């Protein structure tokens, strides 16, 4: 069974990555544009600080603060955040349904299991997003290496790792200070590097499931509506905007803690995977065409 | 390995696509499912393969009820509609990738399946550059490469040229000799005349004819070609 799953996943990686190549490139290009925007803005800041890899990732995942009409804080959706989310959902959200229509019957039969088929698709989403974030991270690291400002001094992840600067500057919004202490640095790293991935994974899997249940386009519209509504209202069931760092408790006393984000998304991910198992156990495997 | 379909009914969104079907299929024979588009041929193949769940009734293969005792039949190869392959890979690369899922066969077996349908295993052309006939041959190779006991083919001669049809006939005859159970669905399978052992005709999801082909008359198309 594990071997069969591994080969099914290998098939999905080959076919899936070939099919989403251009969507992957679009999402990566969008990230690159946001990174360039960060560089332009960071260079315009005077002072002794030096931006880091983590700063760049934090900037891309910044999002927007809480909307508070009573305090006169207007609601302004952070478009780069929304665009990057759409790009990522478009990248991972459709291939499983496309493959289901084209090859679901054959691959499920070869694997002899609907369960393996579904779990393979979920794992494909996980690995594709991991690859995406890995490539984005690589871009930023390479830039700082080439620019000669990538430090090897501190070794926060161990010897020879990032030179993390405690002062995280969020340009275009506001400047916030972190305490230069490990108990603050680790959550900051988790928030900047892991949290966007976890949020994308949760919403990406939800998109995959919705594609099967209500269709690709309707699923995307529903999920985006949910994500946008979650930026407007504060509710424990509206976790779509939990990836926005400006709403993180590290930077906002009333914000959401990393623990809360990770727990919420763990619940969402488990729910989606389990719902998919139930859905596929009862589902007829028929492609898009139903002839004969 | 025999198949027994017992009072099988399948409804989709209120529409009955298979209506109380009871049939038996035995190994070493080639069966033809005939009927117009929408008559239920493809759905019956899906039911046998365990791809769809019965509204009532069941499919039993060698004493095991599909969907209850086993999710899918143990040894089955299918060609249902036109499956797609990875565009940028060759035929061999595509089949190797799919064969890896079960891990039952070697690269040599995959190459043999390709050669059997008249495709060159060493062909460097990618699937994108295949003609329709080549794509159909590749799908046929995929369905037989693991040498399954049950072979379900939906319109297998679609897009095949005369040479391809002759190859397909040869493959089916050889599989029958090897005691495989073969079911071919076709709205007009005259290309396989003379090879079919039994014909089942469906209309509106019901079996309207079921007869052995020892007394079969060649179809009008064959007569014209003769």
């Amino acid at each position: 069974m594990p071997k069969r799953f591994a080969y099914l996943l290998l098939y999905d990686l080959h076919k899936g990555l070939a099919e989403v190549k251009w969507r992957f490139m679009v999402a990566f290009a969008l990230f690159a544009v946001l990174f360039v925007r960060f560089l332009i803005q960071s260079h315009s800041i005077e002072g002794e600080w030096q931006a880091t890899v983590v700063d760049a990732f934090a900037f891309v995942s910044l999002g927007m603060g809480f909307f508070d009409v009573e305090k006169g804080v207007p609601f302004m959706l952070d478009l780069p955040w929304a665009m990057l989310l759409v790009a990522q959902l478009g990248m991972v959200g459709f291939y499983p349904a496309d493959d289901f229509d084209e090859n679901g019957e054959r691959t499920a039969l070869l694997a002899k299991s609907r369960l393996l088929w579904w779990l393979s698709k979920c794992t494909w989403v996980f690995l594709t997003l991991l690859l995406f974030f890995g490539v984005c991270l690589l871009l930023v690291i390479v830039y700082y290496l080439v620019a000669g400002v990538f430090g090897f001094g501190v070794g926060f992840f161990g010897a020879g790792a990032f030179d993390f600067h405690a002062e995280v500057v969020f340009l275009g919004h506001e400047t916030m200070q972190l305490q230069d202490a490990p108990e603050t640095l680790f959550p900051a790293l988790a928030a900047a590097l892991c949290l966007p991935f976890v949020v994308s994974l949760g919403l990406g899997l939800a998109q995959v499931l919705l594609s099967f249940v209500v269709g690709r386009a309707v699923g995307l519209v529903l999920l985006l509506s949910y994500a946008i509504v979650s930026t407007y209202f504060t509710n424990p069931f509206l976790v779509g905007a939990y990836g926005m760092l400006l709403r993180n408790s590290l930077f906002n006393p009333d914000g959401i803690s990393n623990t809360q984000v990770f727990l919420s998304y763990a619940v969402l991910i488990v729910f989606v995977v389990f719902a998919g198992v139930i859905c596929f156990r009862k589902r007829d495997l028929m492609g898009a065409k139903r002839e004969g | 390995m025999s198949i027994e379909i017992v009072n099988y009914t399948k409804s989709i969104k209120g529409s009955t696509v298979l209506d109380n079907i009871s049939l038996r299929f035995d190994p070493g024979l080639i069966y033809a499912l005939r009927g117009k588009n929408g008559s239920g041929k493809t759905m019956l193949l899906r039911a046998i393969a365990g791809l769809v769940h019965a509204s009532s009734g069941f499919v039993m293969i060698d004493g095991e009820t599909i969907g209850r005792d086993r999710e899918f039949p143990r040894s089955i190869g299918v060609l249902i509609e036109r499956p797609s392959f990875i565009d940028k890979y060759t035929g061999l690369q595509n089949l190797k990738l799919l064969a890896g899922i079960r891990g039952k066969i070697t690269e040599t077996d995959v190459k043999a399946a390709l050669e059997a349908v008249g495709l060159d295993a060493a062909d460097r052309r990618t699937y994108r550059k295949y003609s329709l006939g080549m794509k159909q041959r590749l799908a046929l190779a995929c369905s037989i490469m693991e040498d399954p006991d049950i072979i379900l083919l939906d319109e297998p001669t679609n897009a095949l040229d005369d040479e391809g049809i002759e190859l397909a006939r040869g493959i089916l005859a050889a599989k029958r000799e090897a005691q495989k159970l073969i079911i071919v669905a076709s709205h007009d399978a005259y290309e396989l005349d003379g090879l079919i052992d039994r014909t089942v005709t469906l209309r509106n999801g019901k079996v309207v004819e079921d007869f052995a082909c020892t007394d079969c008359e060649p179809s009008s198309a064959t007569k014209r070609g003769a």
Side-chain angles (χ1 to χ4, degrees), chain A residues 217-237:
Chain A
V218 176
L220 184 61
V221 168
L222 283 178
L223 202 63
L224 274 178
S225 305
Y226 168 78
I228 290 170
V229 165
S230 71
T231 66
Y232 191 88
F233 297 105
T234 305
N235 185 298
F237 292 102

Side-chain angles (χ1 to χ4, degrees), chain A residues 128-150:
Chain A
T128 303
L129 281 170
L130 198 64
L131 180 67
F132 172 71
F133 278 93
V135 170
C136 292
L137 188 62
L138 192 66
L139 168 77
V140 178
I141 288 173
V142 166
Y143 169 80
Y144 281 115
L145 281 173
V146 171
V149 292
F150 187 81

Side-chain angles (χ1 to χ4, degrees), chain B:
Chain B
M1 186 167 280
S2 59
I3 300 170
E4 194 159 2
I5 302 173
V6 181
N7 300 328
Y8 194 100
T9 297
K10 176 66 183 173
S11 300
I12 297 176
K13 295 177 181 173
S15 169
T16 302
V17 288
L18 291 177
D19 192 355
N20 198 31
I21 302 254
S22 291
L23 288 166
R24 182 182 169 85
F25 300 96
D26 291 310
L29 297 173
I30 300 177
Y31 295 83
L33 291 180
R34 301 200 191 217
K36 293 178 181 173
N37 290 337
S39 58
K41 305 183 300 292
T42 305
M43 194 58 69
L44 186 58
L45 293 185
R46 287 194 175 108
I48 294 168
L51 294 166
V52 295
H53 298 286
S55 302
S56 65
F58 57 89
V59 173
M60 190 179 274
I61 297 179
D62 267 6
E64 292 179 314
T65 302
I66 301 304
R68 193 186 68 194
D69 301 330
R70 291 192 64 80
E71 191 172 0
F72 296 108
R74 286 179 192 275
S75 178
I76 190 166
V78 298
L79 192 175
I80 295 182
E81 291 167 349
R82 181 168 295 136
S84 72
F85 292 88
I86 302 174
D87 276 349
K88 65 173 187 174
Y89 288 2
T90 65
L92 178 63
Q93 287 170 328
N94 266 295
L95 292 200
K96 274 171 64 181
L97 203 53
L98 287 164
I101 295 174
R102 290 197 72 195
K104 269 184 66 181
I105 56 173
T106 63
E107 185 174 336
T108 309
D109 299 321
V110 174
K111 285 179 178 173
L114 283 169
E115 302 290 348
V117 298
L119 290 176
D120 181 3
D123 192 345
R124 301 303 302 161
R125 274 178 295 180
T126 58
Y127 181 71
R128 183 185 289 123
K129 292 178 181 167
Y130 274 24
S131 67
L132 277 179
M134 290 171 77
K135 288 177 178 177
Q136 185 72 355
R137 288 179 188 219
L138 186 63
L140 188 58
C142 185
S143 65
I144 60 166
M145 66 180 175
E146 293 185 335
D147 194 26
D149 292 329
I150 298 170
I151 301 170
L152 308 180
L153 305 172
D154 189 10
E155 310 282 2
T157 53
N158 267 3
L160 291 184
D161 54 17
D162 289 345
E163 184 205 348
I165 291 168
E166 273 311 305
L167 281 169
R169 287 178 63 95
I171 290 168
L172 295 184
K175 294 293 177 189
R176 175 170 57 187
E177 282 298 306
Q179 289 301 300
K180 307 296 182 186
L181 194 169
I182 303 154
I183 305 176
V184 181
S186 175
H187 66 281
D188 186 10
Y190 66 84
E191 296 97 342
L192 302 178
D193 275 354
L195 205 59
I196 304 298
D197 297 299
R198 192 174 133 194
T199 296
V200 175
T201 305
L202 295 172
R203 189 180 301 146
N204 298 325
K206 291 182 179 173
V207 175
V208 291
E209 279 181 330
D210 180 4
F211 57 92
C213 284
T214 46
D215 305 322
C216 283
E217 285 290 317
S219 70
S220 54
T222 308
K223 283 176 183 170
R224 280 199 303 274

Side-chain angles (χ1 to χ4, degrees), chain A:
Chain A
M1 184 80 89
K3 192 178 170 193
R4 207 179 292 167
F5 174 75
Y7 277 99
L8 189 57
L9 180 59
L10 185 67
Y11 165 83
D12 276 326
L13 286 172
H14 278 271
K15 186 164 189 285
L17 289 176
E19 287 192 7
V20 305
K21 182 174 62 183
W22 289 108
R23 294 177 204 161
F24 190 100
M25 299 291 272
V26 167
F28 178 67
L30 192 55
F31 177 88
V33 167
L34 293 175
F35 176 52
V36 169
R37 181 171 160 233
F38 167 75
L39 291 175
I40 291 169
Q41 293 195 19
S42 64
H43 284 141
S44 69
I45 300 288
E46 291 181 2
E48 288 299 311
W49 77 285
Q50 176 62 56
T52 68
V53 170
V54 181
D55 292 335
F57 258 76
F59 179 78
V60 170
S61 307
L62 204 57
M64 53 191 281
F66 290 108
F67 162 62
D68 191 340
V69 70
E70 288 177 5
K71 291 181 183 171
V73 181
F75 177 77
M76 290 181 68
L77 182 67
D78 187 51
L79 275 181
W81 170 83
M83 287 166 67
L84 197 59
L85 181 63
V86 171
Q88 290 176 70
L89 293 180
M91 182 174 69
V92 297
F94 301 138
Y95 162 68
D98 290 344
D99 185 64
F100 178 83
D101 284 344
E102 295 168 356
N103 283 312
E105 295 166 338
R106 185 173 56 191
T107 46
L109 264 179
L110 284 169
K112 301 280 180 218
S113 167
R114 286 172 168 82
L115 175 68
L116 286 189
W117 190 90
W118 167 246
L119 293 181
S120 174
K121 294 294 182 279
C122 292
T123 312
W124 176 83
V125 171
F126 171 81
L127 292 176
T128 303
L129 281 170
L130 198 64
L131 180 67
F132 172 71
F133 278 93
V135 170
C136 292
L137 188 62
L138 192 66
L139 168 77
V140 178
I141 288 173
V142 166
Y143 169 80
Y144 281 115
L145 281 173
V146 171
V149 292
F150 187 81
F152 288 93
V154 174
F156 188 79
F157 292 136
F162 301 120
D163 184 4
F164 181 79
H165 289 247
E167 187 183 64
V168 178
V169 182
F170 289 147
L171 302 152
H173 293 261
E174 51 192 305
T175 303
M176 298 177 185
Q177 301 289 326
L178 286 175
Q179 297 299 314
D180 190 5
E183 60 268 25
T184 313
L185 294 179
F186 182 72
L189 282 170
L193 298 177
C194 303
L195 199 141
F197 168 74
V198 170
V199 170
S200 296
L201 177 62
L203 296 180
L205 287 173
Q207 166 65 29
V208 169
L209 186 63
L210 285 173
S211 295
F212 286 112
V213 177
V214 295
R216 297 162 182 77
V218 176
L220 184 61
V221 168
L222 283 178
L223 202 63
L224 274 178
S225 305
Y226 168 78
I228 290 170
V229 165
S230 71
T231 66
Y232 191 88
F233 297 105
T234 305
N235 185 298
F237 292 102
L238 295 173
V239 299
Y242 276 15
M244 293 178 164
L245 290 190
L246 275 180
R247 298 182 171 202
N248 193 284
S249 61
L250 285 169
F251 313 117
N252 186 333
D254 301 323
I256 307 140
S257 71
N258 279 350
T259 308
Q260 191 180 345
V261 180
F262 286 123
L263 276 177
S264 302
Y265 272 84
V267 169
L268 176 66
I269 289 166
V270 169
F271 172 78
V272 169
V273 172
F274 189 71
V277 170
I278 302 290
C279 170
F280 275 91
R281 186 181 294 169
K282 295 181 179 298
R283 193 181 180 94
D284 291 332
L285 298 179
M286 295 190 294
K289 293 178 284 180
R290 294 175 185 177
E291 296 169 356

